[in-house]
Amino acid sequence: MAVRERNNIYLPVKAEVVEKRHLSADVSLFTVRPDVPFDYRPGQFFMVSLWGAGEVPISVASLRKEGAKRSQQGGDLIEFCIRKAGKVTSLIHDVEKGGFLWIRGPYGRSFPLEYATGREMLVVGGGIGLAPLRPVIQWALRERNSIKKVSLLYGARTPDDLIFRDDLKRWAESGVNVVLTVDRATDGWDGNLGVVTTLWHKSEIDFREAVSFICGPEVMIRSAINDLFFFGMPEDRIITTLEAHMKCGVGKCGHCYAGRLYICTDGPVFSFREIKEHNLL
Ligand SMILES: Cc1cc2nc3c(=O)[nH]c(=O)nc-3n(C[C@H](O)[C@H](O)[C@H](O)COP(=O)(O)OP(=O)(O)OC[C@H]3O[C@@H](n4cnc5c(N)ncnc54)[C@H](O)[C@@H]3O)c2cc1C
Ligand code: FES
């Protein structure tokens, strides 16, 4: 590749889809092998595109190397968990194993995982929001000796909409306190009913001592951060991701501008203190 091309921040890299796994009716996990290696951290995102269709921001859904699978050729594999939301994501869903996506990144600020060292960790996810939190839990399991406890509260619309069900089972077996809930039960569901923020009493977490990582619909985030702050969790340790409509992903186009910040470069990970300071929610 010519130097001029390499310096073009908008130029994506080809990534072969080496595996595609359906996680629910409208969510699939794409494992891709990019032509060049990337270094990335939980909470960061890539702009994922399809020629002629468009580009969308998608978070990394796996931990680099330790948590992620490696290809037979030895190169890194990246996992993207994508929900069919509209035009571009629906066309991406048409790509099967052996097809190609194009990616550029990683972009944005990652989760400050080091805040969890020596503390309890509370992970709160709603719907597709579990995707960026998955590498956080993978990291916590890798670092289990330095983290006191991990609790995951995860909610979805119906039992069929719960994603990463294999992981949820594995994480529970590995000592994570996994608490699930659904908005609407279907036959066979005898678990929790209601929104995820009704489950605080099941988290087994000392809120004043812990750090929380949150991702989900805006209404869930609002409610979660207010509750946790009320319970005594310091605002610097309430960490969430915020969504915005993005085009460039690199602080140039202004599409994601909010509260004098660019969500793409100043975020998408923010603490509650930053959210309040910049009026981001
Ligand atoms: C930093 C970041 C990380 C993300 N990570 C993931 C991920 O890991 N997996 C995943 O499935 N999705 C993720 N998303 C959301 C994803 O980018 C959007 O679903 C996608 O851009 C929709 O594009 P589309 O062309 O398919 O839908 P469109 O046709 O553009 O839109 C369909 C509907 O979704 C709404 N919408 C589109 N983009 C957004 C947005 N950013 N925020 C709120 N509403 C939106 C539109 O208003 C419309 O109602 C992320 C978004 C951001 C900003
Ligand atoms: S997406 Fe262009 S400035 Fe953030």
Side-chain angles (χ1 to χ4, degrees), residues 8-277:
N8 183 343
I9 54 169
Y10 299 110
L11 197 69
V13 166
K14 196 170 160 195
E16 183 186 355
V17 176
V18 296
E19 192 182 323
K20 180 181 171 189
R21 193 150 61 89
H22 297 286
L23 301 183
S24 75
D26 58 356
V27 178
S28 290
L29 183 69
F30 292 83
T31 306
V32 304
R33 181 175 52 225
D35 279 356
V36 299
F38 287 97
D39 197 4
Y40 53 89
R41 294 183 302 280
Q44 289 192 296
F45 66 94
F46 279 77
M47 295 302 294
V48 177
S49 60
L50 205 56
W51 286 112
E55 231 184 359
V56 287
I58 300 292
S59 307
V60 293
S62 57
L63 197 61
R64 185 169 184 259
K65 286 196 176 122
E66 291 85 353
K69 293 180 219 156
R70 293 177 71 82
S71 74
Q72 285 172 342
Q73 287 78 5
D76 282 341
L77 299 179
I78 310 180
E79 290 179 307
F80 294 111
C81 175
I82 305 180
R83 185 174 71 89
K84 241 188 240 189
K87 180 179 151 254
V88 180
T89 48
S90 297
L91 289 168
I92 288 176
H93 268 251
D94 291 341
V95 178
E96 299 297 339
K97 183 178 170 182
F100 295 94
L101 296 174
W102 295 78
I103 65 172
R104 60 184 176 91
Y107 298 131
R109 239 182 353 157
S110 56
F111 287 110
L113 297 174
E114 66 283 1
Y115 286 16
T117 305
R119 297 190 181 280
E120 297 182 7
M121 181 199 276
L122 175 61
V123 180
V124 186
I128 187 76
L130 186 59
L133 296 171
R134 182 174 177 244
V136 172
I137 297 169
Q138 290 174 339
W139 176 85
L141 288 173
R142 197 189 73 192
E143 304 290 320
R144 69 180 79 216
N145 291 339
S146 60
I147 295 165
K148 286 188 184 160
K149 182 189 281 183
V150 184
S151 197
L152 166 68
L153 307 186
Y154 173 48
R157 279 172 304 181
T158 70
D160 289 342
D161 292 311
L162 292 165
I163 57 171
F164 294 119
R165 275 172 259 177
D166 295 351
D167 291 279
L168 293 170
K169 194 162 166 274
R170 225 181 356 257
W171 294 338
E173 287 163 3
S174 305
V176 177
N177 174 39
V178 176
V179 185
L180 306 177
T181 186
V182 295
D183 296 340
R184 204 161 22 89
T186 48
D187 283 351
W189 177 261
D190 59 358
N192 298 299
L193 264 187
V195 294
V196 81
T197 46
T198 58
L199 298 175
W200 299 127
H201 61 293
K202 297 195 175 180
S203 71
E204 299 171 5
I205 285 284
D206 176 353
F207 297 112
R208 283 158 305 171
E209 195 278 336
V211 57
S212 64
F213 297 109
I214 305 165
C215 187
E218 194 175 301
V219 60
M220 186 212 86
I221 292 175
R222 268 179 204 279
S223 171
I225 59 182
N226 283 316
D227 285 359
L228 290 172
F229 185 60
F230 178 75
F231 295 150
M233 193 175 283
E235 50 194 22
D236 277 319
R237 278 196 255 122
I238 302 174
I239 316 288
T240 187
T241 63
L242 295 183
E243 272 209 17
H245 288 274
M246 290 186 185
K247 286 284 174 212
C248 69
V250 290
K252 303 280 183 204
C253 72
H255 269 83
C256 69
Y257 192 64
R260 288 190 289 151
L261 295 179
Y262 292 110
I263 304 293
C264 64
T265 48
D266 297 307
V269 172
F270 293 97
S271 68
F272 186 31
R273 184 178 59 72
E274 292 166 322
I275 288 172
K276 284 205 303 201
E277 200 173 301

